[in-house]
Amino acid sequence: MVGRPKKDTKTQGRKGTGTVTVKIQKIDRKENRLSKMCKICSVCEDRSICNNREGTKKCKKCLECKGKDCDRFYVYAPHTALTSSKGGKKRKYLGRYDKQEEAQNSIIQAQNGGFIETNTTTLYEVLEQKNTKNLQANAIAPSTDDRNRAIRDKMRKYGLADKKIQKISTDEIQDYLNDLKDSYSQSEIDKQTDEIKSGYKFAIINHLVSINPCETLIKVTSSLPVKNARPFELDEQNLFMNYINTYDNLTDIRSGMDSITFRNVVKLAFATGQRIGELLALQIGYDKKHYTSDINFEKKYFRISKTISTEHNKPVLKNGTKNSKKRIRKGLPPYIDISFNVANDDVIEKIIKEQIEHSKNNPNNKQHFLFCNDNGSFLTHHQITDTFKRICRELHIQEDNTKGCHIHQARHSFVTRCLEARYEHRNHC
């Protein structure tokens, strides 16, 4: 029969790892005969004989054609991939492919454990590459990169990060996460899980792996008790505020922060509920009208638009706040204005005016911060928390808190006081 090959065509797979066999296959259904066409059939305008074919009867064009794929009974030529097992004694069928390249790649994958190309890239290196590219694209902040680096270091400590990414199995990742459940909080375990998953997603996109071992991971639940936000009780808050308003020597000379600055920033945190990094980023300008870039006495508000963050273990002034991106996505401005009226009796205005006068007397305050160290450098939440924790310990406030009190509890306390005030208002209505 014209066009039918006498023998199978075999081609050696790349690197000598198997064999690709090409064999013209018969299509035994008339409706399928039209799905595969040679070049001659594709331009033929008269298909009456072929469409109503009887036996092996061919049209004139098919009879005259010398091509092996002309007969529409024999136009399907799949590439069958075979590979040898270890020792070369048995052949393994890998499947049929339309293109020879696909068949060859399947052989390479079978020999290399599922990968087109083998490499020695470790999980640590993949995560590092991913975070570097995200940082360059401004998709993550430097502080997030610092956090992810700390996660990678923890993986390295447990021995997972330095393993080749192509060799890590689902069970190994699952065992690693399971080992965290008795030592780490749920949020930390979730961060570790998300970082590993994003690393493998990056690896697949960059063709480092072909299969994602994270797809069948079981969510790990921490066995540690959930730490709920713990505000100060009203009597605890009053005890603390009376103490810092009574005593002058609140800070250690080694901290670089004076007592007046500490007192005012803590009072402002309790009065407004703002994050301490956002308060420490407030900047002032000295003029007769007392109008500043962040504080407006005429309209009685101060603007939260920046924060003091930690990047590479150093404090930096960062434009935007924790919620700036979320606010922009909602169509809101990236900043928020805090009215002085959020507290009673002009408390906020008095705190800010006192601190402005105090900061004006610091010749080192070149960047005009409302709160800064004696040498003019950034104050950090660590400095505030260290002194805050020591005073709480001296006053026996929340002694059952094993890690000690934290300045962020001022924010929780503010929210609690607001809820208590609303509850009392409803009961009196």
Side-chain angles (χ1 to χ4, degrees):
M1 184 177 291
V2 178
R4 185 168 184 175
K6 297 179 180 180
K7 296 181 180 180
D8 295 344
T9 302
K10 296 183 178 180
T11 59
Q12 194 70 15
R14 289 182 297 175
K15 301 181 182 179
T17 55
T19 302
V20 177
T21 301
V22 182
K23 185 176 181 180
I24 305 300
Q25 299 293 315
K26 180 178 179 180
I27 301 175
D28 57 0
R29 291 286 185 267
K30 289 183 179 180
E31 58 269 21
N32 289 332
R33 294 175 194 166
L34 299 175
S35 63
K36 303 274 186 177
M37 295 187 188
C38 65
K39 293 182 179 179
I40 293 176
C41 290
S42 64
V43 297
C44 180
E45 296 181 356
D46 181 10
R47 300 178 183 172
S48 58
I49 296 177
C50 296
N51 289 344
N52 300 283
R53 193 166 188 171
E54 297 178 0
T56 58
K57 184 180 179 181
K58 297 182 180 180
C59 69
K60 183 178 180 181
K61 289 182 180 179
C62 288
L63 287 171
E64 295 175 350
C65 180
K66 303 295 184 181
K68 65 178 182 179
D69 293 341
C70 250
D71 188 349
R72 291 172 65 193
F73 265 103
Y74 303 96
V75 293
Y76 181 45
H79 296 74
T80 302
L82 301 170
T83 186
S84 301
S85 61
K86 292 183 178 180
K89 294 181 180 180
K90 293 183 179 180
R91 307 286 284 172
K92 183 179 179 181
Y93 172 74
L94 300 178
R96 292 179 178 178
Y97 303 89
D98 288 336
K99 298 180 180 179
Q100 181 174 332
E101 183 71 16
E102 295 174 345
Q104 290 175 331
N105 284 343
S106 70
I107 294 173
I108 300 300
Q109 285 181 313
Q111 295 291 326
N112 293 340
F115 309 106
I116 297 297
E117 300 292 343
T118 57
N119 63 74
T120 59
T121 307
T122 65
L123 176 59
Y124 190 96
E125 292 169 339
V126 168
L127 295 176
E128 193 171 39
Q129 291 172 20
K130 172 186 70 73
N131 280 279
T132 299
K133 289 191 174 183
N134 286 338
L135 193 62
Q136 292 172 344
N138 202 28
I140 61 173
S143 57
T144 303
D145 183 50
D146 288 342
R147 184 199 71 186
N148 292 340
R149 182 180 293 107
I151 291 176
R152 295 197 299 272
D153 291 340
K154 289 178 182 177
M155 292 182 195
R156 173 169 279 175
K157 181 180 178 181
Y158 278 79
L160 180 69
D162 289 325
K163 291 187 176 182
K164 297 177 183 178
I165 193 166
Q166 292 185 346
K167 299 294 184 181
I168 300 176
S169 66
T170 301
D171 289 341
E172 287 179 295
I173 299 174
Q174 189 71 62
D175 290 343
Y176 166 73
L177 295 174
N178 290 344
D179 287 341
L180 302 180
K181 67 179 184 297
D182 295 328
S183 305
Y184 292 94
S185 65
Q186 188 62 50
S187 62
E188 177 64 25
I189 293 174
D190 291 342
K191 289 175 184 177
Q192 295 254 2
T193 304
D194 291 342
E195 183 67 359
I196 294 173
K197 287 183 176 180
S198 64
Y200 269 96
K201 183 178 180 180
F202 177 85
I204 288 176
I205 292 173
N206 289 276
H207 309 294
L208 297 175
V209 296
S210 58
I211 299 174
N212 189 349
C214 298
E215 290 181 351
T216 56
L217 285 177
I218 301 172
K219 181 177 174 60
V220 176
T221 302
S222 174
S223 58
L224 298 181
V226 178
K227 291 183 179 180
N228 296 318
R230 187 175 179 183
F232 279 19
E233 299 291 342
L234 183 58
D235 57 343
E236 293 174 333
Q237 182 172 334
N238 289 336
L239 177 63
F240 185 92
M241 299 303 288
N242 288 334
Y243 181 88
I244 64 174
N245 284 324
T246 301
Y247 295 94
D248 294 328
N249 298 322
L250 301 174
T251 61
D252 191 315
I253 191 172
R254 293 172 297 180
S255 71
M257 170 182 57
D258 64 77
S259 296
I260 294 176
T261 297
F262 171 79
R263 178 189 298 120
N264 284 333
V265 72
V266 171
K267 288 169 66 176
L268 195 61
F270 274 105
T272 64
Q274 296 306 299
R275 296 179 181 87
I276 195 66
E278 297 168 349
L279 296 180
L280 297 178
L282 290 173
Q283 290 176 294
I284 57 178
Y286 307 136
D287 55 38
K288 295 180 180 179
K289 294 182 179 180
H290 295 293
Y291 177 80
T292 72
S293 58
D294 292 330
I295 304 168
N296 191 324
F297 288 105
E298 181 180 350
K299 296 183 178 180
K300 294 187 179 298
Y301 72 82
F302 65 88
R303 176 163 293 178
I304 297 294
S305 62
K306 305 180 295 295
T307 188
I308 300 294
S309 181
T310 302
E311 296 178 1
H312 307 303
N313 297 320
K314 293 182 179 179
V316 295
L317 178 64
K318 178 181 174 183
N319 288 324
T321 65
K322 185 175 182 179
N323 294 326
S324 290
K325 291 183 179 179
K326 291 182 180 178
R327 291 180 60 84
I328 291 173
R329 286 196 294 267
K330 293 179 180 179
L332 300 173
Y335 58 83
I336 183 171
D337 294 334
I338 307 299
S339 172
F340 291 171
N341 295 330
V342 73
N344 297 326
D345 303 323
D346 298 325
V347 170
I348 295 176
E349 188 170 356
K350 290 178 182 178
I351 295 171
I352 293 177
K353 284 183 175 181
E354 179 185 351
Q355 186 59 31
I356 286 177
E357 292 302 315
H358 179 66
S359 62
K360 283 169 62 176
N361 296 323
N362 184 350
N364 297 318
N365 189 9
K366 305 297 184 183
Q367 298 185 74
H368 305 302
F369 281 102
L370 182 61
F371 306 101
C372 69
N373 281 308
D374 295 337
N375 62 4
S377 62
F378 299 133
L379 270 173
T380 68
H381 70 91
H382 294 296
Q383 290 177 271
I384 305 297
T385 292
D386 287 345
T387 303
F388 187 86
K389 183 182 295 186
R390 176 179 55 77
I391 293 176
C392 288
R393 194 161 47 240
E394 291 177 4
L395 298 176
H396 305 288
I397 295 175
Q398 295 187 0
E399 290 182 293
D400 58 331
N401 190 337
T402 56
K403 292 188 177 181
C405 295
H406 193 282
I407 185 59
H408 198 68
Q409 290 176 275
R411 181 174 173 84
H412 300 316
S413 301
F414 172 80
V415 174
T416 301
R417 300 290 91 82
C418 290
L419 293 174
E420 291 172 347
R422 182 191 301 177
Y423 180 76
E424 290 181 6
H425 176 74
R426 288 179 177 177
N427 285 345
H428 285 86
C429 289

